[in-house]
Amino acid sequence: MDDSPSYDNTDNDRESDSELDCLYDALKKHDDIRFATYRTAAKLRYIQRRTFLQHIDIWNMIEAFRENGLNTLEPGTLVNRARMETLLASLYTSLNKRLPPGQNIDVDKTSSLLSTWLVFTYCQDDSSRLRVFSIKMALAVLACGKLMDKLRYMFSQITDSNGQLIPESQQ
């Protein structure tokens, strides 16, 4: 049985699908790592580096969530791919402002690749819509920054203002 990703190809998504195929082919190179935790970490690190998220810290990620209105949405709210690409484009645009001249990132290509990977990884149906909570957690994991800052942010997303865990049915 073939392990390659399966998805519908449309004219708009052919380039990003090709990039996703290349990404998955590159990830297969890590399959010879014996222990699953190390193998998973190596694959996530590769995705992080390929999508330049090692240059975006958790604080810039949180600011992008605020700028794009994701902080006011309920965790279970579904976000379409266009809105997710807008979020990612704003992340990469602000990153390009901080990078030295000549080291700019192709915003459209990189945000398309990352959104395609997120949809393929987290979308449970063919709607290409993801829960706000899934987007926040995936990007928080892949962002750079101190582990404690990331864990605090993640904890803040699953608790109420009193520090009590929010029931899963409300997320």
Side-chain angles (χ1 to χ4, degrees), residues 5-11 13-14 16-17 81 120 126 128:
S6 60
Y7 38 80
D8 295 330
N9 283 331
T10 61
D11 290 339
D13 292 335
R14 287 200 197 282
S16 61
D17 291 345
R81 184 173 177 160
F120 181 75
D126 292 334
S128 293

Side-chain angles (χ1 to χ4, degrees), residues 25-38:
D25 288 341
L27 289 177
K28 286 181 183 180
K29 294 176 184 174
H30 298 288
D31 286 344
D32 60 343
I33 298 174
R34 181 176 177 189
F35 297 110
T37 50
Y38 295 129

Side-chain angles (χ1 to χ4, degrees), residues 94-132:
S94 65
L95 174 61
N96 276 341
K97 292 176 184 175
R98 295 189 310 271
L99 289 175
Q103 292 185 356
N104 288 342
I105 295 168
D106 185 349
V107 173
D108 293 333
K109 184 178 177 180
T110 309
S111 61
S112 177
L113 173 63
L114 184 55
S115 68
T116 301
W117 179 77
L118 287 169
V119 166
F120 181 75
T121 305
Y122 291 101
C123 189
Q124 297 174 353
D125 53 16
D126 292 334
S127 67
S128 293
R129 297 172 62 171
L130 298 179
R131 291 177 34 211
V132 170

Side-chain angles (χ1 to χ4, degrees), residues 43-106:
K43 289 181 179 187
L44 286 174
R45 179 68 174 154
Y46 182 83
I47 291 168
Q48 180 191 44
R49 292 178 62 90
R50 179 83 181 265
T51 57
F52 302 100
L53 290 175
Q54 81 272 16
H55 298 298
I56 301 174
D57 66 8
I58 188 68
W59 303 111
N60 288 322
M61 196 73 69
I62 294 168
E63 185 59 31
F65 294 151
R66 285 189 190 122
E67 287 174 0
N68 290 280
L70 266 64
N71 63 326
T72 60
L73 297 176
E74 292 295 320
T77 304
L78 293 175
V79 174
N80 63 19
R81 184 173 177 160
R83 187 160 184 190
M84 186 174 30
E85 284 189 5
T86 303
L87 165 71
L88 297 174
S90 70
L91 272 172
Y92 291 122
T93 301
S94 65
L95 174 61
N96 276 341
K97 292 176 184 175
R98 295 189 310 271
L99 289 175
Q103 292 185 356
N104 288 342
I105 295 168
D106 185 349

